[in-house]
């Protein structure tokens, strides 16, 4: 009898063991990102870096389910519903585009599922619409544009012409630029999302009397604009955020981008040990230099993995606290969240210079230090 009771007790302890001491139970992460279409290189870079971090962690209990949103909000929303209701994921991540984030994130977090952003940081989710289950491991959309506004003001440009696509991140970008530029541009225009012909906009720039151009046109939009701008022979200097001058875009644009300055919260030549190791590992595995989309996703993955090491996502309060603590080794160096679960961080200035076979980015300074987004004041979280 005693032997039977003892055997039953041991069996019960063995059965319970996977849930003791943190997250030994399977953790499902749904990664919805853009893997096809014109903006696919952004999502592919994010996916590849995220999976590199998961591979390096070697945790067999972490399962990542990949989905392609094809850059369509309705597709992203449908995929999120499927991952939450059918696959029972604990965490969602991966979305690149802010209009897709707005279609997915609010419903996700209301259902008690955590969302960790690898890129999109719309103002609506940073301010009054913040949520305790939503964390952004990249930036708030305004940040890189604010930094360029501050830099161009410091450099003495008085008549900037500014343009961006007509969607949430585009509106945030120009709002952010004007906030720290603290002056009036000679013109402000919004283009169509996904636009490829910029002849009309370039003609407006030429006739505007502008002394500089600031644009936010991510992915293929930036490639089209820069090629057409160079081809038109306009000699007004161009500035922008890193989204328009990532390493993939520079390979497509070529020498036309040399001399352009852009702002980023990370650069592949950033001088810290974790960043250097990441760049080396990414190049070794994928045979290309990582973009900021890769760096952000790598950090997002390591943030999630650090939280999984502390708590199971089923323990909402403990897992939320582990995410908030952000005790992981970031490629950006020191990493911390503000009250609205968005990073407080330095934003750098990079210059496009000649490289081996194609132009590349070179870090040249800090535009703004330890910047917290302005919307944090509207967020009720502590």
């Amino acid at each position: 009898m005693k032997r039977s009771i003892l055997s039953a007790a041991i069996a019960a302890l063995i059965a319970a063991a996977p849930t003791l001491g943190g997250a030994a139970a399977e953790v499902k992460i749904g990664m919805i990102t853009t893997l096809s279409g014109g903006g696919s290189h952004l999502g592919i870079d994010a996916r590849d870096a995220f999976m590199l971090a998961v591979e390096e962690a070697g945790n067999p209990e972490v399962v990542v389910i990949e989905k392609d949103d094809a850059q369509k909000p309705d597709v992203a929303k449908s995929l999120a519903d499927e991952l939450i209701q059918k696959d029972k994921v604990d965490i969602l991540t991966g979305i690149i585009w802010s209009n897709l984030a707005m279609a997915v994130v609010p419903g996700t977090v209301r259902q008690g599922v955590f969302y960790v952003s690898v890129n999109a940081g719309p103002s609506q989710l940073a301010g009054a619409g913040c949520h305790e289950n939503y964390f952004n491991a990249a930036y708030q959309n305004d940040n890189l544009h604010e930094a360029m506004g501050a830099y161009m003001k410091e450099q003495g440009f008085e008549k900037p012409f500014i343009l961006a696509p007509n969607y949430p991140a585009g509106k945030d970008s120009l709002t952010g630029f004007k906030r720290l530029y603290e002056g009036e541009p000679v013109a402000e225009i919004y283009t169509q999302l996904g636009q490829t012909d910029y002849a009309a906009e370039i003609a407006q720039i030429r006739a505007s009397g502008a002394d500089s151009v600031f644009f936010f046109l991510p992915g293929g939009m930036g490639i089209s604009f820069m090629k057409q701008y160079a081809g038109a022979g306009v000699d007004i200097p161009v500035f922008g955020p890193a989204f328009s001058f990532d390493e993939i875009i520079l390979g497509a644009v070529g020498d036309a981008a040399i001399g352009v300055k852009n702002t980023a919260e990370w650069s592949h030549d950033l001088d810290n040990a974790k960043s250097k190791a990441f760049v080396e590992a990414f190049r070794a595995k994928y045979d290309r230099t990582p973009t900021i989309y890769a760096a952000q996703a790598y950090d997002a993955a390591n943030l999630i993995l650090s939280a999984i090491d502390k708590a199971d996502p089923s323990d909402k309060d403990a897992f939320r606290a582990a995410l908030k603590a952000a005790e992981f080794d970031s490629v950006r160096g020191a990493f911390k969240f503000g009250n609205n679960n968005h990073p407080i961080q330095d934003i750098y200035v990079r210059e496009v210079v000649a490289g081996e076979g194609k132009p590349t980015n070179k870090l040249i300074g800090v535009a703004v230090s330890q910047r917290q987004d302005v919307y944090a004041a509207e967020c009720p979280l502590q």
Side-chain angles (χ1 to χ4, degrees):
M1 177 73 72
K2 290 180 180 179
R3 192 177 299 115
S4 298
I5 293 171
L6 181 60
S7 297
I10 292 171
L13 284 171
I14 292 172
T19 62
L20 296 176
E26 184 176 82
V27 176
K28 291 185 178 181
I29 303 171
M31 187 171 204
I32 303 169
T33 197
T34 304
L35 301 174
S36 62
S40 61
H41 86 261
L42 286 65
I44 290 169
D45 238 33
R47 187 272 313 276
D48 288 353
F50 192 95
M51 295 309 299
L52 174 63
V54 171
E55 179 183 307
E56 289 173 345
N59 185 341
E61 304 302 332
V62 175
V63 176
V64 181
I65 305 172
E66 298 175 21
K67 300 288 184 180
D68 178 14
D69 59 38
Q71 204 179 328
K72 297 177 180 178
D74 58 335
V75 172
K77 177 65 168 63
S78 177
L79 291 173
D81 291 341
E82 177 185 336
L83 286 164
I84 293 169
Q85 296 162 18
K86 178 184 174 184
D87 296 299
K88 308 296 182 184
V89 296
D90 303 288
I91 304 153
L92 281 179
T93 189
I95 289 176
I96 299 296
W97 307 89
S98 290
N99 53 334
L100 275 67
M102 290 307 301
V104 168
V105 173
T108 295
V109 295
R110 283 197 301 266
Q111 294 180 71
V113 176
F114 290 95
Y115 191 93
V116 178
S117 180
V118 302
N119 189 65
S123 55
Q124 298 94 321
L125 300 179
C130 66
H131 194 282
E132 62 181 359
N133 291 338
Y134 171 71
F135 290 80
N136 189 303
Y139 47 71
Q140 192 281 314
N141 281 351
D142 298 25
N143 290 162
L144 272 58
H145 316 287
E146 290 175 324
M148 186 51 81
Y151 179 77
M152 288 176 66
K153 177 185 177 182
E154 179 186 272
Q155 295 298 307
F157 290 99
E158 298 179 348
K159 297 185 290 182
F161 187 108
I162 65 176
L163 67 156
N166 189 13
Y167 81 120
K171 294 177 181 178
D172 285 346
S173 71
L174 299 192
T175 298
F177 176 88
K178 291 184 291 183
R179 181 178 297 118
L180 294 192
Y181 178 72
E182 298 178 341
E184 285 299 318
V186 296
E188 174 181 347
I189 61 173
Y190 288 96
T191 64
Q192 293 297 310
L193 185 62
Q195 183 173 323
T196 57
D197 184 352
Y198 293 95
E201 288 80 7
I202 291 170
Q204 287 179 260
I205 292 169
R206 192 195 299 272
S208 68
D211 64 1
S212 52
V213 175
F214 169 82
F215 78 91
F216 164 61
L217 294 167
M221 293 178 284
I223 295 170
S224 296
F225 178 83
M226 280 303 299
K227 284 186 171 182
Q228 293 165 36
Y229 190 84
V234 183
D235 60 359
I236 302 169
V238 173
F239 301 84
F243 318 117
S244 302
F245 301 99
D246 68 47
E247 297 299 312
I248 304 297
I249 288 176
L250 292 180
V253 172
D255 290 349
I258 290 177
V260 171
K261 295 182 175 65
N262 63 92
T263 41
E265 84 282 22
W266 176 84
S267 185
H268 66 81
D269 57 346
L270 192 62
D271 188 16
N272 77 59
K274 183 65 176 179
S275 180
K276 290 178 178 179
F278 162 62
V279 172
E280 181 179 351
F282 190 94
R283 284 172 170 165
K285 188 170 181 64
Y286 301 114
D287 195 28
R288 66 183 190 272
T289 297
T291 65
I292 63 164
Y293 304 103
Q296 292 161 183
Y298 188 77
D299 269 0
N302 281 312
L303 167 67
I304 292 169
L305 292 163
S306 72
I308 290 171
D309 284 343
K310 292 182 178 181
D312 192 284
S314 62
D315 185 344
K316 304 294 184 186
D317 290 341
F319 191 72
R320 187 180 301 115
L323 286 173
K324 187 79 170 187
E327 293 177 346
F328 72 101
D329 198 2
S330 168
V331 298
R332 283 167 268 183
F335 185 101
K336 64 180 178 180
F337 283 119
N339 66 292
N340 62 348
N341 299 339
H342 285 66
I344 299 173
Q345 60 190 334
D346 292 344
I347 309 295
Y348 302 97
V349 181
R350 312 185 301 183
E351 182 175 1
V352 180
V353 298
E356 295 182 8
K358 69 178 183 66
T360 189
N361 283 295
K362 179 182 179 182
L363 193 64
I364 61 171
V366 177
V368 292
S369 299
Q370 292 300 288
R371 180 69 179 172
Q372 181 173 28
D373 63 273
V374 298
Y375 305 102
E378 303 169 17
C379 174
L381 298 176
Q382 299 300 314

